Amino acid sequence: MSAAVGRQPGWLSMPVLVGLIGLAWLLAIVAELTGKVQWVHHHQLVVDDMALWFSLILFLLAWQLHIAAMMLPSALPMVGLFRQAAAGQPNPGLVQACFLGGYLVVWTLFGVLALLADTLLGASASSWHWLMHRPEWLMGGALLLAGGFQFTSLKSRCLDKCRQPRAFLLAHYRRGLGGATALGVRHGMFCVGCCWALMLVMFVVGIANLAWMAPLAALMIYEKVGRHGERVVRPAGVGLLLLGLFFILGPGWMSAPSHMH
């Protein structure tokens, strides 16, 4: 298999996935500009007057849009290398779909668990008078958690795996649909391990909040694929910690996310 993995493919070699990423960002921007953000905003979906199962379906669709916009760009190097390695297998398109499917399953499970935790936290806050009137503590707490995680060994180990897709592929590649799915799941787990804390910030502010979505996506993408990505991890952690403290201790004019008022 090693001979099948050549140089790391560029974005232009994967026009379909690049198109999906562009479409995801376009839909998020259009939803924001046209006032239709409720269709991609998980807080609106769970509080609107609709059946729970329908809310969950809408959330899962919105979450796939979110993952395509924020996480798929950083996975493209791994996807491209896997496509090269799997080109000689029977039904290579199906094999590649299984790999992406495994990756998306991991992130979808994370999204469902995060939605459940966010919903329970919101319910607790609404019944806790002190916290309900101090929404900045929820936002500040999420930022402090994300900032602190930037300094952990778990972040470093997972980021190292994501930054070396060729070595990861050589170590774990297996032929067949099952092998492709397992590899996608494994890669997805390391990707979640890198980014779960930053993605929790998105749940606090709302997954459709473009003002937070764009800079956090840029940070996560650069950490994984940027030339000096490892150098920004700790400075970003310092920035997140300071921002979290500012939310908690800063002036009252610092506006909290709209769903938390």
Side-chain angles (χ1 to χ4, degrees), residues 27 40 94 143 181 250:
L27 290 175
V40 290
L94 183 57
L143 287 166
T181 303

Side-chain angles (χ1 to χ4, degrees), residues 171-197:
H172 303 292
Y173 179 82
R174 300 291 183 275
R175 291 176 62 86
L177 302 182
T181 303
L183 184 66
V185 169
R186 185 186 291 267
H187 183 60
M189 291 176 66
F190 281 111
C191 190
V192 169
C194 287
C195 304
W196 67 270

Side-chain angles (χ1 to χ4, degrees), residues 127-199:
S127 61
W128 187 0
H129 185 269
W130 183 89
L131 185 58
M132 184 174 63
H133 292 279
R134 292 171 177 81
E136 66 275 8
W137 279 74
L138 291 177
M139 186 62 204
L143 287 166
L144 291 176
L145 175 63
F149 184 67
Q150 294 289 105
F151 296 90
T152 64
S153 59
L154 177 59
K155 171 80 177 190
S156 297
R157 290 198 301 270
C158 291
L159 188 58
D160 183 64
K161 297 292 185 182
C162 292
R163 286 184 58 80
Q164 301 184 53
R166 182 175 285 101
F168 184 87
L169 186 63
L170 291 173
H172 303 292
Y173 179 82
R174 300 291 183 275
R175 291 176 62 86
L177 302 182
T181 303
L183 184 66
V185 169
R186 185 186 291 267
H187 183 60
M189 291 176 66
F190 281 111
C191 190
V192 169
C194 287
C195 304
W196 67 270
L198 291 171
M199 293 297 274

